[in-house]
Every structure is written in C-alpha cells, then in structure tokens.
Amino acid sequence: MAITIRLCLALLVQLLALQCSAITLDYENTIDTDSLVWSSGLDQPIWADKSAKQGGHLHLTTPSPILHWRRFGPETPTVISETLSKLQIPLLARHPNTDALIPMLISEWAINAAERQITLRIDPSSRWSDGVPVTTSDVIYTLLFLTSGGHDTEYQRNYINQILESITVHNPSEFTLHFYQWNNSVFDFLCDFRPLASHFYQSSDAWPYDFDWMIEPVTGPYEINSDPSPNEISFYRTPNWWGDKQKFLAYRFNPKQVTLTVQSAKTPAKFGIGSVDVINTTSDANWKSEWLRKLTLTKHINRLQFAHQGERPFAALVFNSSKHSAEQQRQIMARLPIAEALTFTSEMHALINNLIAQEPAEPVDIDVLYTDPADGSWLAELVLKSIKYNVRLHPIWVNQRELKFRLKTNDFDIALLKTSAKDDASTRFQSLLDLYQQPGPSWLIYDIPIKRYAYWQWLKLPATIGTRISSDIFDPFDPVTGGLFWIDRKLRADTLSQSDNEKIEERPPVIHDLHLSSDKEELNNKE
C-alpha cells in the first residue's frame, strides 16, 4: 500500500514533465498480465566462478580528475560518470557468451513483437542501496527526467524520444514499453537503461550543481563512501546486497572496498610497491618496456594479454576542411602513423581511399582535440612517432561541451570524435559530425581488440579468464562482464612482507586468444 501511495504522489511531478516529453504515459491497465507468456532467461549458464572469495581492498587508477559525482548533466560523459553508471543495474542484459536475454532488475518479460511492445516485471527483491524497493515509479521518473528538456540531457532525450513511443503502468512492479519500431535497438535500449532513484531525486535540491557531490542510491553492489575529492574516490560493497542471491549476479563483485586514484607520475612507483594492484599496459611502449620486465623479475607480478570481442569505441580523426585543402589533408593523413602508434594487433580501417605514403614534406603543426583521457597515452605515442614524418601534433583535452562548441564554430584542426559502441555509436557519431558544417571532412576509424595488464599475483582470475565480450578483465563494477576476479588477502600480506632481494624466475606473459576455450585461457592461480 505504501508503495502504491508513493507511486500516486509522484504522478504530479511526473505529469508536469510530460509537456516537454514525447513519450505517452498511460495508467489504464488494458493488458491482462496474468495471461501473458513470460520469459526469465534462467536456462542460460552462469559465467562467474563459484570458488571466488569475497573481501579485500582493491586499488586502481583512473585517468582524469574527478569533477563531480553525477551520471548526467553538464560536464558529462566523463570517465567517472561512466563508472558511476556501472554502479546501477540495467533492466535486462545480454548473456556475455550466448547473447541471450537474461534478467537483471527485471526478473521476467513478455514480448509482443506484432504490437512492438514488451511487458516487464521488476524483480521483487531488487533494492536501492538505502533499502527502498525498485518500482515502476523509478522507471517513469527516469524517462521523464531524461526527456523533459531541463536537465542538460540532450543526447538521452533525443535517443529515448526516437525509439520509445509510450509506457503503460500496470502496478508498482509491472509495466509495458511501446516502441516505434521493433528491432535490435529495442533490446539495446533495455540493456542500457538504468533507472534513477525517484525518491532521492524528487526530495533533494536543485539540479544539477546541488547534486555534484551527493551520493546517489544504487542498485549495484558498490556505493560511494568517500569525501569529495578531485584525486580519489572510494566505494564500499553494500551489505546484504540483493544481487548476491540472483543467478547472474552471484559470486561476483568480490572486493569489499574499491579505491580509484587519479593517475600521476607516481603511479608506476606505487604499482611497484603494491599500492596499486593492476595497471593497463596495452601500448607497446609499456608492454615491451625494460622497466616492466625487470619488475617481473623482482616482484610477484604477472602480465596478461587478453583479446576480446567486446564493445569497441567508434572513433574518428576529423579534419577541419577550411584550414587544409583536400590535398593537404590527404598528405597529412598519409603521414600519420596511426597503426604504428597503437599496437601491432590493432585493427585500423581507413575511410579515405588511395592513401599513399608521401615523401617527407614541410613540417606542419596540428592541434588534436580529444575528450577521453584514456586516449592520452596513445596520442602521446602518436606525437612521438609523427615527428619523423614532419607532423608536429599537439593533443588538447577538452570536455564534451567545448568539443561541440568548437565543432559548431569551426575552431579546430583535427578532432578525435569517439562514442561507445553500446550507445548506438554510428548514430551518436553522426550527430557529433553534424555539428561540423563544413563539407568533406576526412577521418580514420580505429579500434584495439586487445587489452594488456600487469598485475600483482594476489589478484585471482577464474580458469576461464573472461567472457567473449570482456573488454576490461579487471573492471570491478560492470553488471555483465565485471567483478569476476577476487583478492587473495593472505597472499597479499605474505607477498608484501617478502624481501625485494628474493630472486624470482621470469614468467612469460599469459596470452589469451580471441575467446578460445582452450588451455591458453588457463591461469595458474597457485603461484
């Protein structure tokens, strides 16, 4: 009864938002949900390791300063906003190995493809981290919040309004979504949609800046437990988390605490003494470095190369046509050693025809705008490798808002446009490109289908190291592919107490091919 009353009280706020939203909200129950044919996805296999042990404190790094704790609004997306999104469980997910639909926040669903609609039943055990049950009120509020036009959520508003026609609410735990078209984009939407806690947003202060450092309730296993800081953020595991009893969430998300510290010049030294548990060494400069090899001879550190079929960024280097002629663009692009700056296994597809390497030409200085701090390392390598071709690149990090402004005002040399594959990449990329009004831009698409790591041996991986689509083996948060590893706390204590003078036999890197179920996936966890 209390949930129903709260749902009704929320209507006044929600209905006010309808004026700016293209979504139709219907409370007339015209569907007999008891007569529907429900699916649960529980026939699919689990991918977690039942021998995983909970506990320990995981120390990772993040590439950029922490500006706020918001998922949406101004100055998003950022690395941290994407991390915060992973703290929320989506409605549904695709099984990472079989691609079948599996339950997340939704325990059962009934599809009516002819009517372009799906009826969803919220898991009755699902809870926000403050103990409040998840209800249809949260789903409605989220849709209206993101599409109302007053929350600086332009991309989300356009995306939702283009795909979702209406929502029909049956009761606090069941609702039906009606779509304009019935295709794979429907399931992409369901697997990416993460509700907001309506009771938190409705009862709190003005959006957005009063929310910058407020701790949002989560449906996932970790919540922020930290003071505001631009350099560090900590997460604690929610006690008695509801997901521990769910088939596809159990035996995962094992560290009790996770701390992310902003990367700095001190990061390698911190890793060398065990204050950081794992570092990304994907670039050749790191993977083949003498520093890393020597470290494996004096420390109990493993190296891992993991090939995956996961989501890869849809990215492009876009030229400002007004600053360089078509011939100049062709010559400069031909001189940029893109593949050389990434890795020898990188896939690189050129959308420019007949690129032929040119003889060294006059030196040229070019600014490169980029928004993802994670691209800083390979751009730095690109700078070094481009010098021999008389191209002097100057990478400049900007936020999404500034990038859009500079595209609109034609104020750039080259812009690195990048979107996540899960966010309807080609459409979102085109919307960014549409901001640039000049004709004839040129671009290169790149992606990296491997990740490389150096990690301390107290981090334990399952025998099958990751899933088919695991793009980050040591991601502690992702609801589908994350949280598969665990910490051997005794081994950590014993390792850190050992002398640095101990001689350690050199161990070759573990090379994991593109999701092959073979001995190459086996990792010796007894070292």
Side-chain angles (χ1 to χ4, degrees), residues 46-185:
I46 66 171
W47 60 95
D49 191 327
K50 292 185 177 181
S51 66
K53 303 294 189 297
Q54 287 195 359
H57 188 168
L58 179 69
H59 298 269
L60 303 175
T61 62
T62 185
S64 59
I66 302 163
L67 305 178
H68 52 71
W69 291 344
R70 284 183 287 101
R71 287 194 278 156
F72 308 110
E75 307 301 326
T76 64
T78 64
V79 174
I80 289 299
S81 70
E82 293 182 1
T83 296
L84 298 181
S85 292
K86 294 179 181 179
L87 304 183
Q88 308 290 351
I89 303 298
L91 297 181
L92 295 171
R94 288 194 179 276
H95 192 286
N97 292 326
T98 69
D99 206 39
L101 279 182
I102 55 174
M104 286 279 143
L105 278 182
I106 298 301
S107 59
E108 295 179 286
W109 58 94
I111 293 174
N112 186 339
E115 298 294 330
R116 306 187 310 278
Q117 66 187 33
I118 182 171
T119 301
L120 303 159
R121 179 176 288 161
I122 297 173
D123 190 320
S125 67
S126 62
R127 296 288 186 274
W128 296 101
S129 51
D130 56 7
V132 176
V134 179
T135 71
T136 51
S137 180
D138 299 313
V139 176
I140 299 166
Y141 182 83
T142 305
L143 289 171
L144 299 181
F145 179 94
L146 295 177
T147 60
S148 66
H151 297 119
D152 205 353
T153 54
E154 179 181 358
Y155 164 70
Q156 291 87 351
R157 181 174 69 255
N158 292 336
Y159 175 55
I160 293 172
N161 284 338
Q162 288 172 8
I163 189 172
L164 183 62
E165 183 176 4
S166 66
I167 175 172
T168 300
V169 178
H170 308 297
N171 54 60
S173 63
E174 296 177 336
F175 60 99
T176 297
L177 296 177
H178 310 258
F179 295 87
Y180 287 109
Q181 294 182 333
W182 191 261
N183 51 38
N184 284 334
S185 64

Side-chain angles (χ1 to χ4, degrees), residues 313-316 371-372 374-375 400 416-420 429 432 446:
F314 190 99
T371 57
D372 186 350
D375 288 320
Q400 285 282 345
L416 174 57
L417 306 189
K418 182 176 180 180
T419 60
S420 170
F429 175 81
L432 278 175
Y446 74 88

Side-chain angles (χ1 to χ4, degrees), residues 388-446:
K388 63 183 178 181
Y389 300 105
N390 279 340
V391 178
R392 295 191 289 257
L393 298 178
H394 307 282
I396 301 173
W397 180 86
V398 296
N399 58 44
Q400 285 282 345
R401 184 184 295 271
E402 183 175 353
L403 175 66
K404 291 179 179 180
F405 176 78
R406 294 181 70 164
L407 287 171
K408 287 182 178 179
T409 58
N410 206 28
D411 182 20
F412 70 99
D413 291 332
I414 292 179
L416 174 57
L417 306 189
K418 182 176 180 180
T419 60
S420 170
K422 69 181 180 181
D423 288 333
D424 191 13
S426 60
T427 301
R428 192 173 184 184
F429 175 81
Q430 188 60 48
S431 68
L432 278 175
L433 195 60
D434 288 343
L435 296 173
Y436 175 59
Q437 301 299 323
Q438 299 297 320
S442 303
W443 60 85
L444 291 173
I445 305 297
Y446 74 88

Side-chain angles (χ1 to χ4, degrees), residues 252-270:
R252 297 168 56 203
F253 315 108
N254 299 298
K256 183 178 181 180
Q257 182 177 358
V258 179
T259 296
L260 303 182
T261 305
V262 174
Q263 293 173 2
S264 69
K266 298 180 180 179
T267 297
K270 289 182 177 180

